[in-house]
Coordinates of all heavy atoms in Angstrom, one line a residue:
M627 N 10.7 11.8 -10.9 CA 10.1 13.1 -11.4 C 9.3 13.7 -10.2 O 8.6 13.0 -9.5 CB 9.2 12.8 -12.6 CG 8.9 14.0 -13.4 SD 8.0 13.5 -14.9 CE 6.4 13.2 -14.2
D628 N 9.4 15.0 -10.1 CA 8.6 15.7 -9.0 C 7.1 15.8 -9.4 O 6.8 16.0 -10.5 CB 9.2 17.1 -8.9 CG 10.4 17.1 -8.0 OD1 10.7 16.0 -7.4 OD2 11.1 18.1 -8.0
R629 N 6.3 15.6 -8.4 CA 4.9 15.8 -8.6 C 4.6 17.2 -8.6 O 5.3 18.0 -7.9 CB 4.1 15.1 -7.5 CG 3.8 13.7 -7.8 CD 2.7 13.2 -7.0 NE 3.1 13.0 -5.6 CZ 2.3 12.5 -4.6 NH1 1.1 12.1 -4.9 NH2 2.7 12.4 -3.4
Q630 N 3.6 17.6 -9.3 CA 3.2 19.0 -9.3 C 2.6 19.4 -8.0 O 1.8 18.6 -7.4 CB 2.2 19.3 -10.4 CG 1.9 20.7 -10.6 CD 0.7 21.0 -11.5 OE1 0.2 20.1 -12.1 NE2 0.3 22.2 -11.6
M631 N 3.0 20.5 -7.4 CA 2.5 20.9 -6.1 C 1.7 22.2 -6.3 O 2.0 23.0 -7.1 CB 3.6 21.2 -5.2 CG 4.5 20.0 -4.8 SD 3.6 18.6 -4.0 CE 3.5 19.2 -2.3
F632 N 0.6 22.2 -5.6 CA -0.3 23.4 -5.6 C -0.1 24.2 -4.4 O 0.0 23.7 -3.3 CB -1.8 23.0 -5.7 CG -2.1 22.3 -7.0 CD1 -2.0 20.9 -7.1 CD2 -2.6 23.0 -8.1 CE1 -2.3 20.3 -8.3 CE2 -2.9 22.3 -9.3 CZ -2.8 21.0 -9.4
D633 N 0.1 25.5 -4.6 CA 0.2 26.4 -3.4 C -1.2 26.6 -2.8 O -2.1 27.0 -3.5 CB 0.8 27.8 -3.9 CG 2.2 27.6 -4.3 OD1 2.9 26.8 -3.7 OD2 2.6 28.4 -5.2
V634 N -1.3 26.3 -1.5 CA -2.5 26.5 -0.8 C -2.3 27.2 0.5 O -1.1 27.4 0.9 CB -3.2 25.1 -0.5 CG1 -3.6 24.4 -1.8 CG2 -2.3 24.2 0.3
D635 N -3.3 27.6 1.2 CA -3.2 28.2 2.5 C -4.3 27.6 3.4 O -5.4 28.1 3.5 CB -3.4 29.7 2.3 CG -3.3 30.4 3.7 OD1 -2.6 29.8 4.6 OD2 -3.8 31.6 3.8
L636 N -4.0 26.4 3.9 CA -4.9 25.6 4.6 C -4.4 25.1 5.9 O -3.2 25.2 6.2 CB -5.4 24.4 3.8 CG -6.1 24.7 2.4 CD1 -6.1 23.5 1.6 CD2 -7.5 25.2 2.7
E637 N -5.2 24.6 6.7 CA -4.8 23.9 7.9 C -5.1 22.4 7.9 O -6.2 22.0 7.4 CB -5.5 24.5 9.2 CG -4.8 25.8 9.6 CD -5.6 26.4 10.8 OE1 -6.5 25.7 11.3 OE2 -5.2 27.5 11.2
C638 N -4.2 21.6 8.4 CA -4.5 20.2 8.5 C -5.7 20.0 9.3 O -5.9 20.5 10.4 CB -3.3 19.5 9.2 SG -3.6 17.8 9.5
G639 N -6.6 19.1 8.8 CA -7.9 18.8 9.4 C -7.7 18.0 10.7 O -8.7 17.8 11.4
K640 N -6.5 17.5 10.9 CA -6.3 16.7 12.1 C -5.5 17.4 13.2 O -5.9 17.5 14.3 CB -5.6 15.4 11.7 CG -5.7 14.3 12.7 CD -5.3 13.0 12.2 CE -5.2 12.0 13.3 NZ -4.5 10.8 12.8
C641 N -4.3 17.8 12.8 CA -3.4 18.4 13.8 C -3.4 19.9 13.7 O -2.8 20.6 14.6 CB -2.0 17.8 13.7 SG -1.1 18.4 12.2
G642 N -4.0 20.5 12.7 CA -4.0 22.0 12.7 C -2.8 22.6 12.1 O -2.7 23.9 12.0
K643 N -1.9 21.8 11.7 CA -0.6 22.4 11.1 C -0.9 23.1 9.8 O -1.8 22.7 9.0 CB 0.3 21.2 10.9 CG 1.8 21.7 10.7 CD 2.6 20.4 10.6 CE 3.5 20.5 9.4 NZ 4.5 19.4 9.4
H644 N -0.2 24.2 9.6 CA -0.4 25.0 8.4 C 0.1 24.2 7.2 O 1.2 23.6 7.2 CB 0.3 26.3 8.5 CG 0.1 27.1 7.2 ND1 1.1 27.4 6.4 CD2 -1.0 27.7 6.7 CE1 0.7 28.1 5.4 NE2 -0.6 28.4 5.6
I645 N -0.7 24.2 6.1 CA -0.3 23.5 4.9 C -0.1 24.5 3.8 O -1.1 25.3 3.5 CB -1.3 22.4 4.5 CG1 -1.5 21.4 5.6 CG2 -0.9 21.7 3.2 CD1 -2.7 20.5 5.3
S646 N 1.0 24.6 3.2 CA 1.3 25.6 2.2 C 1.3 25.0 0.8 O 1.2 25.7 -0.2 CB 2.6 26.4 2.4 OG 3.6 25.5 2.6
Q647 N 1.5 23.7 0.7 CA 1.5 23.0 -0.6 C 0.8 21.7 -0.5 O 0.9 20.9 0.5 CB 3.0 22.8 -1.0 CG 3.6 24.1 -1.5 CD 4.8 23.7 -2.4 OE1 5.6 22.9 -2.1 NE2 4.9 24.4 -3.5
L648 N 0.1 21.3 -1.6 CA -0.5 20.0 -1.7 C -0.2 19.5 -3.1 O 0.0 20.2 -4.0 CB -2.0 20.2 -1.6 CG -2.6 20.4 -0.2 CD1 -4.1 20.7 -0.3 CD2 -2.4 19.2 0.7
P649 N -0.2 18.1 -3.2 CA 0.1 17.5 -4.5 C -1.2 17.4 -5.3 O -1.2 16.9 -6.4 CB 0.5 16.1 -4.1 CG -0.1 15.8 -2.7 CD -0.2 17.2 -2.0
F650 N -2.3 18.0 -4.8 CA -3.5 18.1 -5.6 C -4.2 19.4 -5.3 O -3.9 20.1 -4.3 CB -4.4 16.9 -5.3 CG -4.8 16.9 -3.8 CD1 -5.9 17.5 -3.3 CD2 -3.9 16.2 -2.9 CE1 -6.2 17.5 -2.0 CE2 -4.2 16.1 -1.6 CZ -5.4 16.8 -1.1
Q651 N -5.1 19.8 -6.2 CA -5.9 21.0 -6.0 C -7.0 20.6 -5.0 O -7.9 19.8 -5.3 CB -6.5 21.4 -7.3 CG -7.2 22.7 -7.3 CD -6.3 23.9 -7.3 OE1 -5.5 24.1 -8.2 NE2 -6.3 24.7 -6.3
P652 N -7.1 21.3 -3.8 CA -8.1 21.0 -2.9 C -9.5 21.4 -3.4 O -9.6 22.4 -4.0 CB -7.7 21.7 -1.6 CG -6.9 22.9 -2.1 CD -6.2 22.3 -3.4
S653 N -10.5 20.5 -3.2 CA -11.8 20.8 -3.7 C -12.6 21.7 -2.8 O -13.6 22.3 -3.1 CB -12.6 19.5 -4.0 OG -12.7 18.8 -2.8
G654 N -12.1 21.7 -1.5 CA -12.8 22.5 -0.5 C -13.9 21.8 0.2 O -14.4 22.3 1.3
D655 N -14.4 20.7 -0.3 CA -15.5 20.0 0.4 C -15.0 18.8 1.3 O -15.7 18.1 1.9 CB -16.5 19.5 -0.6 CG -16.0 18.6 -1.6 OD1 -14.7 18.4 -1.6 OD2 -16.8 18.0 -2.4
R656 N -13.7 18.7 1.4 CA -13.1 17.7 2.2 C -12.0 18.3 3.0 O -11.3 19.1 2.5 CB -12.5 16.6 1.4 CG -13.4 15.6 0.8 CD -12.6 14.9 -0.3 NE -13.4 13.8 -0.9 CZ -13.1 12.6 -0.9 NH1 -12.0 12.1 -0.3 NH2 -13.9 11.7 -1.5
P657 N -11.8 17.8 4.2 CA -10.6 18.3 5.0 C -9.3 17.8 4.3 O -9.3 16.7 3.7 CB -10.8 17.7 6.4 CG -11.7 16.5 6.2 CD -12.6 16.8 5.0
V658 N -8.3 18.6 4.4 CA -7.0 18.1 3.9 C -6.1 17.9 5.1 O -6.3 18.5 6.2 CB -6.4 19.1 3.0 CG1 -7.2 19.2 1.7 CG2 -6.3 20.5 3.6
F659 N -5.1 17.0 4.9 CA -4.3 16.7 6.0 C -2.8 16.9 5.6 O -2.5 16.8 4.5 CB -4.5 15.2 6.4 CG -5.9 14.9 6.8 CD1 -6.7 14.3 6.0 CD2 -6.3 15.3 8.1 CE1 -8.1 14.0 6.4 CE2 -7.6 15.1 8.5 CZ -8.5 14.4 7.6
C660 N -2.0 17.3 6.6 CA -0.6 17.5 6.4 C 0.0 16.1 6.0 O -0.6 15.1 6.2 CB 0.1 18.1 7.6 SG 0.2 17.0 9.0
S661 N 1.3 16.1 5.5 CA 1.9 14.9 5.1 C 2.0 13.9 6.2 O 1.9 12.7 6.0 CB 3.2 15.2 4.4 OG 4.0 16.0 5.3
E662 N 2.3 14.4 7.4 CA 2.5 13.4 8.5 C 1.2 12.7 8.8 O 1.1 11.5 9.0 CB 2.9 14.1 9.8 CG 4.4 14.5 9.8 CD 4.6 16.0 9.4 OE1 4.7 16.3 8.2 OE2 4.6 16.8 10.3
C663 N 0.1 13.5 8.9 CA -1.2 12.9 9.2 C -1.7 12.0 8.1 O -2.3 11.0 8.3 CB -2.3 14.0 9.5 SG -2.0 14.9 11.0
N664 N -1.4 12.4 6.9 CA -1.7 11.5 5.7 C -1.0 10.2 5.8 O -1.6 9.1 5.6 CB -1.3 12.2 4.4 CG -2.4 12.8 3.7 OD1 -3.6 12.4 3.8 ND2 -2.2 13.9 3.0
R665 N 0.3 10.2 6.2 CA 1.0 9.0 6.3 C 0.5 8.1 7.4 O 0.3 6.9 7.2 CB 2.5 9.3 6.5 CG 3.4 8.1 6.3 CD 4.9 8.5 6.4 NE 5.1 9.3 7.5 CZ 5.9 10.4 7.5 NH1 6.4 10.8 6.4 NH2 6.1 11.1 8.6
E666 N 0.2 8.8 8.5 CA -0.4 8.0 9.6 C -1.7 7.4 9.2 O -1.9 6.2 9.5 CB -0.6 9.0 10.8 CG -0.6 8.4 12.1 CD -0.7 9.6 13.2 OE1 0.3 10.3 13.4 OE2 -1.8 9.8 13.7
Y667 N -2.5 8.1 8.5 CA -3.8 7.7 8.1 C -3.6 6.4 7.2 O -4.3 5.4 7.3 CB -4.5 8.8 7.4 CG -5.8 8.4 6.8 CD1 -6.9 8.0 7.6 CD2 -5.9 8.3 5.4 CE1 -8.1 7.7 7.0 CE2 -7.1 7.9 4.8 CZ -8.2 7.6 5.6 OH -9.4 7.2 5.0
R668 N -2.7 6.6 6.3 CA -2.5 5.5 5.3 C -2.0 4.2 6.0 O -2.4 3.1 5.7 CB -1.4 5.9 4.3 CG -2.0 6.0 2.9 CD -0.9 6.0 1.8 NE 0.2 6.8 2.2 CZ 0.4 8.1 1.8 NH1 -0.4 8.7 1.1 NH2 1.5 8.7 2.2
E669 N -1.1 4.4 7.0 CA -0.6 3.3 7.7 C -1.7 2.6 8.5 O -1.8 1.4 8.5 CB 0.6 3.7 8.6 CG 1.9 3.8 7.8 CD 3.0 4.5 8.5 OE1 2.8 4.8 9.7 OE2 4.0 4.9 7.9
T670 N -2.5 3.4 9.2 CA -3.6 2.8 10.0 C -4.5 2.1 9.1 O -4.9 1.0 9.4 CB -4.4 4.0 10.6 OG1 -3.4 4.9 11.2 CG2 -5.3 3.4 11.7
R671 N -4.8 2.7 7.9 CA -5.8 2.1 7.0 C -5.2 0.8 6.5 O -5.9 -0.2 6.4 CB -6.1 3.0 5.9 CG -7.3 2.6 5.1 CD -7.6 3.6 4.0 NE -6.4 3.8 3.2 CZ -6.4 4.5 2.1 NH1 -7.5 5.0 1.7 NH2 -5.3 4.6 1.4
T672 N -4.0 0.8 6.2 CA -3.3 -0.4 5.6 C -3.4 -1.6 6.6 O -3.8 -2.7 6.3 CB -1.9 -0.2 5.3 OG1 -1.8 0.9 4.4 CG2 -1.2 -1.4 4.7
S673 N -3.1 -1.3 7.9 CA -3.1 -2.4 8.8 C -4.6 -2.8 9.2 O -4.9 -4.0 9.4 CB -2.4 -2.0 10.1 OG -2.8 -0.8 10.6
N674 N -5.5 -1.8 9.2 CA -6.9 -2.1 9.5 C -7.5 -3.0 8.5 O -8.2 -3.9 8.8 CB -7.7 -0.8 9.7 CG -7.4 -0.2 11.0 OD1 -6.7 -0.8 11.9 ND2 -7.9 1.0 11.3
R675 N -7.3 -2.6 7.2 CA -8.0 -3.3 6.2 C -7.3 -4.6 5.8 O -7.7 -5.3 4.9 CB -8.1 -2.4 4.9 CG -9.0 -1.2 5.2 CD -9.9 -1.0 4.1 NE -10.7 0.2 4.4 CZ -11.0 1.2 3.5 NH1 -10.5 1.1 2.3 NH2 -11.8 2.2 3.9
G676 N -6.1 -4.8 6.3 CA -5.3 -6.0 5.9 C -4.9 -5.9 4.5 O -4.8 -7.0 3.8
E677 N -4.7 -4.8 4.0 CA -4.2 -4.7 2.6 C -2.9 -5.5 2.5 O -2.1 -5.5 3.4 CB -3.9 -3.2 2.3 CG -4.5 -2.8 1.0 CD -4.3 -1.3 0.8 OE1 -3.2 -0.9 0.4 OE2 -5.2 -0.5 1.1
R678 N -2.8 -6.2 1.4 CA -1.7 -7.2 1.3 C -0.3 -6.5 1.1 O -0.2 -5.9 0.1 CB -2.0 -8.2 0.3 CG -3.0 -9.2 0.7 CD -2.9 -10.3 -0.2 NE -3.9 -11.4 0.2 CZ -3.9 -12.5 -0.3 NH1 -3.2 -12.8 -1.4 NH2 -4.8 -13.4 0.1
Q679 N 0.5 -6.8 2.0 CA 1.9 -6.4 1.7 C 2.6 -7.5 1.0 O 2.3 -8.7 1.2 CB 2.6 -6.2 3.1 CG 4.0 -5.6 2.9 CD 4.8 -5.7 4.2 OE1 4.2 -6.0 5.3 NE2 6.1 -5.4 4.1
M680 N 3.4 -7.2 0.0 CA 4.0 -8.3 -0.8 C 5.5 -8.4 -0.4 O 6.2 -7.3 -0.2 CB 3.9 -8.0 -2.3 CG 2.5 -8.0 -2.8 SD 1.6 -9.6 -2.6 CE 2.3 -10.6 -3.9
F681 N 6.0 -9.6 -0.2 CA 7.4 -9.8 0.1 C 8.1 -10.2 -1.1 O 7.6 -11.1 -1.9 CB 7.5 -10.8 1.2 CG 6.9 -10.4 2.5 CD1 5.5 -10.7 2.8 CD2 7.6 -9.8 3.4 CE1 5.0 -10.3 4.0 CE2 7.1 -9.4 4.7 CZ 5.7 -9.7 4.9
D682 N 9.3 -9.6 -1.3 CA 10.1 -10.1 -2.4 C 10.8 -11.4 -2.0 O 11.5 -11.4 -0.9 CB 11.2 -9.0 -2.7 CG 10.5 -7.8 -3.4 OD1 9.6 -8.0 -4.1 OD2 11.0 -6.7 -3.1
V683 N 10.7 -12.4 -2.8 CA 11.2 -13.7 -2.4 C 12.0 -14.3 -3.6 O 11.8 -13.8 -4.8 CB 10.2 -14.7 -1.9 CG1 9.5 -14.2 -0.7 CG2 9.1 -15.0 -3.0
D684 N 12.7 -15.3 -3.4 CA 13.4 -16.0 -4.5 C 13.2 -17.5 -4.3 O 14.0 -18.2 -3.7 CB 14.9 -15.6 -4.4 CG 15.7 -16.3 -5.5 OD1 15.1 -16.7 -6.5 OD2 16.9 -16.4 -5.4
E685 N 12.0 -17.9 -4.7 CA 11.5 -19.2 -4.4 C 11.1 -19.9 -5.7 O 11.0 -19.3 -6.7 CB 10.3 -19.2 -3.4 CG 10.6 -18.5 -2.1 CD 11.4 -19.4 -1.2 OE1 11.6 -20.6 -1.4 OE2 11.9 -18.8 -0.2
T686 N 10.9 -21.2 -5.6 CA 10.4 -22.0 -6.8 C 9.1 -22.7 -6.4 O 9.0 -23.2 -5.3 CB 11.5 -23.0 -7.1 OG1 12.7 -22.4 -7.2 CG2 11.1 -23.7 -8.5
C687 N 8.2 -22.7 -7.4 CA 6.9 -23.4 -7.2 C 7.2 -24.9 -7.0 O 7.9 -25.5 -7.8 CB 6.0 -23.1 -8.3 SG 4.5 -24.1 -8.3
A688 N 6.6 -25.4 -6.0 CA 6.7 -26.9 -5.7 C 5.9 -27.7 -6.7 O 6.2 -28.9 -6.8 CB 6.3 -27.2 -4.3
G689 N 5.0 -27.1 -7.4 CA 4.2 -27.8 -8.4 C 4.8 -27.8 -9.8 O 5.0 -28.9 -10.4
C690 N 5.1 -26.7 -10.3 CA 5.6 -26.6 -11.7 C 7.0 -26.1 -11.9 O 7.5 -26.0 -13.0 CB 4.6 -25.8 -12.5 SG 4.6 -24.0 -12.1
G691 N 7.6 -25.6 -10.8 CA 9.0 -25.2 -10.9 C 9.1 -23.7 -11.3 O 10.2 -23.2 -11.5
T692 N 8.0 -23.0 -11.5 CA 8.1 -21.6 -11.9 C 8.7 -20.8 -10.8 O 8.5 -21.1 -9.6 CB 6.7 -21.1 -12.1 OG1 6.1 -21.8 -13.2 CG2 6.6 -19.6 -12.4
A693 N 9.5 -19.8 -11.2 CA 10.1 -18.9 -10.2 C 9.0 -18.1 -9.5 O 8.1 -17.6 -10.2 CB 11.1 -18.0 -10.8
I694 N 9.1 -17.9 -8.2 CA 8.2 -17.1 -7.5 C 9.0 -15.9 -6.9 O 9.9 -16.1 -6.2 CB 7.5 -17.8 -6.3 CG1 6.7 -19.1 -6.9 CG2 6.6 -16.9 -5.5 CD1 6.2 -20.0 -5.8
T695 N 8.6 -14.7 -7.3 CA 9.4 -13.5 -6.9 C 8.7 -12.7 -5.9 O 9.3 -11.9 -5.2 CB 9.7 -12.6 -8.1 OG1 8.5 -12.3 -8.8 CG2 10.6 -13.4 -9.1
Q696 N 7.4 -12.9 -5.7 CA 6.6 -12.2 -4.7 C 5.6 -13.0 -4.0 O 4.9 -13.9 -4.7 CB 5.9 -11.0 -5.4 CG 6.9 -9.8 -5.7 CD 6.1 -8.5 -5.7 OE1 5.0 -8.4 -6.2 NE2 6.7 -7.5 -5.0
L697 N 5.5 -12.8 -2.7 CA 4.5 -13.6 -2.0 C 3.7 -12.6 -1.0 O 4.3 -11.6 -0.6 CB 5.1 -14.7 -1.1 CG 5.6 -15.9 -1.8 CD1 6.4 -16.8 -0.9 CD2 4.4 -16.7 -2.3
P698 N 2.5 -12.9 -0.8 CA 1.8 -12.0 0.2 C 2.1 -12.3 1.6 O 1.5 -11.7 2.5 CB 0.3 -12.4 -0.1 CG 0.3 -13.7 -0.6 CD 1.6 -13.9 -1.3
F699 N 3.1 -13.2 1.9 CA 3.5 -13.5 3.2 C 5.0 -13.8 3.2 O 5.6 -14.1 2.1 CB 2.7 -14.7 3.8 CG 2.8 -15.9 3.0 CD1 3.8 -16.8 3.1 CD2 1.9 -16.1 1.9 CE1 3.9 -17.9 2.3 CE2 2.0 -17.3 1.1 CZ 3.0 -18.2 1.3
Q700 N 5.6 -13.8 4.4 CA 7.0 -14.1 4.4 C 7.1 -15.6 4.5 O 6.6 -16.2 5.4 CB 7.6 -13.5 5.7 CG 9.1 -13.6 5.8 CD 9.8 -12.6 5.0 OE1 9.7 -11.4 5.3 NE2 10.6 -13.0 4.1
P701 N 7.8 -16.3 3.5 CA 7.8 -17.7 3.6 C 8.7 -18.2 4.8 O 9.7 -17.6 5.1 CB 8.5 -18.1 2.3 CG 9.2 -16.8 1.8 CD 8.5 -15.7 2.4
T702 N 8.2 -19.2 5.4 CA 8.9 -19.7 6.6 C 9.9 -20.8 6.2 O 10.8 -21.1 7.0 CB 7.9 -20.3 7.6 OG1 7.1 -21.3 6.9 CG2 6.9 -19.3 8.1
G703 N 9.7 -21.4 5.0 CA 10.7 -22.4 4.6 C 10.3 -23.8 5.0 O 10.9 -24.8 4.6
D704 N 9.2 -24.0 5.8 CA 8.9 -25.3 6.2 C 7.7 -25.9 5.5 O 7.2 -26.9 5.8 CB 8.6 -25.4 7.7 CG 7.5 -24.5 8.2 OD1 7.0 -23.7 7.3 OD2 7.1 -24.5 9.4
K705 N 7.2 -25.1 4.5 CA 6.1 -25.6 3.7 C 6.4 -25.3 2.2 O 7.1 -24.4 1.9 CB 4.8 -24.8 4.0 CG 4.1 -25.2 5.2 CD 2.8 -24.4 5.4 CE 2.2 -24.7 6.7 NZ 1.0 -24.0 6.9
P706 N 6.0 -26.2 1.3 CA 6.2 -26.0 -0.1 C 5.4 -24.8 -0.6 O 4.3 -24.5 0.0 CB 5.7 -27.3 -0.8 CG 4.7 -27.9 0.2 CD 5.2 -27.5 1.6
L707 N 5.9 -24.1 -1.5 CA 5.3 -22.9 -2.0 C 4.8 -23.2 -3.4 O 5.4 -23.9 -4.2 CB 6.3 -21.7 -2.1 CG 6.8 -21.2 -0.7 CD1 8.0 -20.4 -0.9 CD2 5.7 -20.5 0.0
Y708 N 3.7 -22.6 -3.8 CA 3.1 -22.8 -5.1 C 2.8 -21.5 -5.8 O 2.5 -20.5 -5.1 CB 1.8 -23.6 -5.0 CG 2.0 -25.0 -4.5 CD1 1.8 -25.3 -3.2 CD2 2.3 -26.0 -5.4 CE1 2.0 -26.6 -2.7 CE2 2.5 -27.3 -4.9 CZ 2.4 -27.6 -3.6 OH 2.6 -28.8 -3.1
C709 N 3.0 -21.4 -7.1 CA 2.7 -20.2 -7.9 C 1.2 -20.1 -7.9 O 0.4 -21.0 -7.6 CB 3.3 -20.3 -9.3 SG 2.5 -21.5 -10.3
R710 N 0.8 -18.9 -8.4 CA -0.6 -18.6 -8.5 C -1.4 -19.7 -9.3 O -2.5 -20.1 -9.0 CB -0.8 -17.2 -9.1 CG -2.2 -16.7 -8.8 CD -2.2 -15.2 -9.1 NE -1.2 -14.5 -8.4 CZ -1.1 -13.2 -8.3 NH1 -1.9 -12.5 -8.9 NH2 -0.1 -12.7 -7.6
E711 N -0.8 -20.0 -10.5 CA -1.5 -21.0 -11.3 C -1.7 -22.3 -10.6 O -2.8 -22.9 -10.7 CB -0.7 -21.2 -12.6 CG -0.8 -20.1 -13.6 CD 0.1 -18.9 -13.2 OE1 1.2 -19.2 -12.8 OE2 -0.3 -17.8 -13.4
C712 N -0.7 -22.8 -9.9 CA -0.8 -24.1 -9.2 C -1.8 -23.9 -8.1 O -2.6 -24.9 -7.8 CB 0.5 -24.5 -8.7 SG 1.6 -25.1 -10.0
L713 N -1.8 -22.8 -7.4 CA -2.8 -22.6 -6.3 C -4.2 -22.7 -6.8 O -5.1 -23.3 -6.3 CB -2.6 -21.3 -5.6 CG -1.4 -21.2 -4.7 CD1 -1.2 -19.8 -4.1 CD2 -1.5 -22.2 -3.5
V714 N -4.4 -22.0 -8.0 CA -5.8 -22.0 -8.6 C -6.1 -23.4 -9.0 O -7.2 -23.9 -8.8 CB -5.8 -21.0 -9.8 CG1 -7.1 -21.2 -10.5 CG2 -5.6 -19.6 -9.2
A715 N -5.2 -24.1 -9.7 CA -5.4 -25.4 -10.1 C -5.8 -26.4 -9.0 O -6.7 -27.2 -9.0 CB -4.2 -26.0 -10.9
N716 N -5.0 -26.2 -7.9 CA -5.3 -27.1 -6.7 C -6.7 -26.8 -6.1 O -7.4 -27.7 -5.7 CB -4.2 -26.8 -5.6 CG -2.9 -27.5 -6.0 OD1 -2.9 -28.4 -6.8 ND2 -1.9 -27.0 -5.4
R717 N -7.0 -25.5 -6.1 CA -8.3 -25.1 -5.5 C -9.5 -25.7 -6.3 O -10.5 -26.0 -5.8 CB -8.4 -23.6 -5.5 CG -9.2 -23.2 -4.3 CD -9.2 -21.7 -4.2 NE -7.8 -21.1 -4.0 CZ -7.4 -19.9 -4.4 NH1 -8.2 -19.1 -5.0 NH2 -6.2 -19.5 -4.1
N718 N -9.3 -25.8 -7.7 CA -10.4 -26.2 -8.5 C -10.4 -27.7 -8.6 O -11.3 -28.3 -9.4 CB -10.2 -25.6 -9.9 CG -10.4 -24.1 -9.8 OD1 -11.0 -23.6 -8.9 ND2 -9.9 -23.4 -10.8
K719 N -9.6 -28.4 -8.0 CA -9.6 -29.9 -8.1 C -10.8 -30.5 -7.5 O -11.3 -30.0 -6.5 CB -8.4 -30.5 -7.4 CG -7.4 -31.1 -8.3 CD -6.1 -31.6 -7.6 CE -4.9 -31.4 -8.5 NZ -3.7 -31.6 -7.8
Ligands
ZN1127 ZN1 -1.5 17.1 10.4
ZN1128 ZN1 3.4 -23.7 -10.2

């Protein structure tokens, strides 16, 4: 589904590129950025803050046998993997 776009007449606060549409109504008290600068900003922020990227995996918990479909890291295959429940249980031991 397409997001609603607002017609605006603004300049990107970073590169100065003209912006004619935004996916939100600009409030005027914050600089707005073009889609390229926004993407760049998001990527920088993601790597800086260490926001967790999830990897799709097809693994089995070594503790209870539950299927693991996502991990916050790429499994290397040389260590047993545990589901969240088992990790929590192990930590509370
Ligand atoms: Zn820009
Ligand atoms: Zn488990």
Side-chain angles (χ1 to χ4, degrees):
M627 200 172 73
D628 280 348
R629 269 198 289 185
Q630 189 192 353
M631 297 297 282
F632 294 88
D633 290 328
V634 297
D635 182 19
L636 295 166
E637 278 181 5
C638 171
K640 196 171 172 190
C641 71
K643 196 173 130 171
H644 181 250
I645 302 172
S646 55
Q647 284 203 316
L648 281 175
F650 57 89
Q651 185 81 59
S653 59
D655 60 354
R656 280 165 180 240
V658 293
F659 301 103
C660 68
S661 52
E662 285 97 273
C663 290
N664 259 329
R665 193 173 47 225
E666 205 173 283
Y667 173 71
R668 244 194 324 260
E669 277 164 13
T670 315
R671 196 178 52 171
T672 302
S673 50
N674 283 352
R675 294 223 183 138
E677 232 172 77
R678 283 196 178 186
Q679 189 193 348
M680 295 301 282
F681 295 89
D682 290 325
V683 298
D684 184 18
E685 304 284 345
T686 309
C687 171
C690 68
T692 297
I694 301 173
T695 55
Q696 283 208 316
L697 282 172
F699 57 88
Q700 186 83 60
T702 56
D704 60 354
K705 280 186 188 180
L707 295 165
Y708 295 95
C709 70
R710 196 165 307 189
E711 284 78 40
C712 288
L713 283 177
V714 171
N716 283 339
R717 211 175 297 153
N718 292 341
K719 246 176 214 169

